[in-house]
Structure formats: C-alpha cells, structure tokens
Amino acid sequence: GYNLFHLPSEMVIVDLLTDSGVTAMSARQWSCLFRGDEAYAGARSFDRFEAVVQTLTGYPFVIPTHQGRAAERLLFSAVVKSGDVVPGNMHFDTTRANIEASGGEAVDLAIAQAHTPAREHPFKGNIDLDRLEQLLRDTPHERVPLVLLTVTSNGCGGQPVSLENISQTQLLCARFGVPLYLDAARFAENAWLIHEREPGLAHTAPRKIARAMFDRADGCLMSAKKDGLVNTGGFLATRNEDLATQLKRLMVLG
C-alpha cells in the first residue's frame, strides 16, 4: 500500500522518488542540442562523445544507448545465459530484471552494515569480499560471466564503494578469471566520497580517483542521466573488442 507509483504527480510537492533525469542542464548544453550533428552515420557529435568517455574511463570501445537500462540489456543479453550467476554489491531493480530476463541470477553480496541504516560506516556500498570469494570458489567458472559493482550503491541509498574494495574485488576477479564491470551512474559522487572519506586520498583529485576506479575494471555501463548531467542517454564501454563487436550487432536490434 506504499507504492509511490500509485501517486499522481500533482499530489507530490517534493519528489524524492528518483535521481534520474532531475539535473538542470546549462544554457550551453541546451544550445548544443540545436548545434548537434544528427547524421544517421558518422556524426561528429558521437566522435566528441566517444572521445570524452575514452578519456574519462580509459576504455577504448564505447557503445551509446538511449538510457542506462538499455546498456544493461545489451550487456546481459550478450554475456548472461540461463543458469548463470551475476554477483554484485547490491543490484539496482532494472539491473536485476535484465539479468533475470536473460535467465541469470543476480546475487547481492553487500557488507552487513549496508542493511542497518543506524550503523555508521564510511563505505556501506562495499561488496563482502569473503562472500564473493566463497561464491567464486563454489560456482563453476563458466557460470559467472561477470561481477558487477554499483558505484555508488543505489540499492542501499547511494552509499559509496571504497577504492580499496574495488581494488580487492579486481584481484579476486583476476584470480578466478572473471571480468569486473562497474555500474557507473554515480561514479563522480563515488569518487568525491572516496576523496572525502578514504585514508590517504584526501589530496587526490576526484577525477584521478574516478580514473583509478575505471582502471580496476574491464568495463562499465552507465545511465548518463545522473552524474553525466544530461537529461537522457547512457553508454556501455569495455576493453574487450570481441564483446564490443557483439554489442554493436545487438544494438541494431534495439
């Protein structure tokens, strides 16, 4: 009986239902919409977009999408099959839905503190490394197509993931031969909170911290309607050329 989707918007004075697409765009951003190259192929607007994503993330292959859940659908359609398991810190609802639509199981492995709002912890978005290691050890390698870290963790109120936790997750993934991907919708906020809270990183610029986060993963998916500061759109980026080719073919269908 407390489903916010049952409320008509005219009854709502302060809307805290979502952080998606609520960022005001600058006059320069709006003007760029009228100056953009809308060519069906080879648009210079995409070249600019691709260059920015590559510079920010370090990933060479960039696939644009109309929103974040489309990036999820593309990725999981390509790599998840029936019976697979996709572990993560805490999957967002559309992420879980796309994994399950491909026949997989989304497994939340958040640290215990994430489930108790009253408990203080600087990085409640962290994944439980012991439980992740146990899952990777107990599950056949071919049944774990990737590990997904959501930064920040939307499922527990936008709590951040530490750079140390991302680094340790990368080491575990490398040990078991499993790719690590980031759901990076709030990457900039996560980088800022690392800058504010993680020992030894107070003098490191958030942009460098963000790049360090991306450097520890094999790719990312992103709704750009959050920290991308746009009113629609997203992307999927990866280091894997074969996967990128497969994703581009799937993109034509949707």
Side-chain angles (χ1 to χ4, degrees):
Y2 294 97
N3 188 338
L4 293 179
F5 288 97
H6 292 163
L7 279 175
S9 64
E10 59 263 26
M11 293 179 63
V12 179
I13 298 172
V14 179
D15 187 353
L16 301 177
L17 177 60
T18 183
D19 60 353
S20 184
V22 298
T23 303
M25 288 172 56
S26 67
R28 184 177 179 185
Q29 281 179 295
W30 281 113
S31 69
C32 284
L33 290 176
F34 295 96
R35 294 186 284 112
D37 180 1
E38 296 299 324
Y40 188 77
R44 66 180 182 273
S45 295
F46 172 72
D47 291 338
R48 291 179 60 198
F49 170 77
E50 180 184 50
V52 169
V53 174
Q54 288 172 336
T55 300
L56 182 65
T57 67
Y59 303 140
F61 306 106
V62 180
I63 296 93
T65 61
H66 66 278
Q67 56 182 335
R69 68 190 64 184
E72 294 171 349
R73 185 188 62 79
L74 278 177
L75 179 61
F76 301 136
S77 295
V79 303
V80 176
K81 60 185 183 300
S82 181
D84 282 352
V85 174
V86 180
N89 48 350
M90 195 175 287
H91 295 283
F92 185 59
D93 52 7
T94 61
T95 315
R96 183 180 302 279
N98 274 296
I99 292 170
E100 292 175 352
S102 296
E105 179 187 1
V107 179
D108 290 343
L109 298 175
I111 59 173
Q113 293 91 331
H115 302 286
T116 310
R119 292 182 66 180
E120 292 289 335
H121 192 285
F123 294 104
K124 284 189 173 183
N126 283 358
I127 192 168
D128 188 319
L129 295 167
D130 291 335
R131 293 170 66 202
L132 176 61
E133 181 175 6
Q134 190 68 48
L135 183 146
L136 293 175
R137 182 183 292 117
D138 294 345
T139 309
H141 173 267
E142 64 275 9
R143 285 193 55 208
V144 187
L146 75 156
V147 172
L148 183 69
L149 278 182
T150 305
V151 293
T152 57
S153 181
N154 198 325
C156 64
Q159 296 290 333
V161 182
S162 71
L163 187 59
E164 173 66 18
N165 191 254
I166 298 172
S167 301
Q168 292 301 315
T169 303
Q170 178 201 29
L171 292 175
L172 267 180
C173 288
R175 189 170 124 205
F176 287 92
V178 176
L180 172 62
Y181 275 72
L182 302 179
D183 180 340
R186 284 291 184 190
F187 79 95
E189 183 176 19
N190 201 88
W192 174 257
L193 290 170
I194 287 173
H195 167 79
E196 289 285 290
R197 299 179 180 180
E198 193 157 351
L201 292 170
H203 300 292
T204 303
R207 187 183 182 94
K208 289 186 177 180
I209 293 172
R211 181 56 182 268
M213 290 160 47
F214 289 121
D215 284 346
R216 285 156 175 76
D218 297 285
C220 72
L221 51 85
M222 181 172 175
S223 166
K225 296 168 72 174
K226 285 81 172 176
D227 285 357
L229 304 182
V230 300
N231 61 3
T232 192
F235 66 88
L236 202 163
T238 181
R239 303 187 196 281
N240 187 324
E241 185 173 8
D242 292 337
L243 176 60
T245 300
Q246 186 180 359
L247 293 170
K248 289 174 183 178
R249 290 170 179 162
L250 286 171
M251 185 176 61
V252 175
L253 302 177

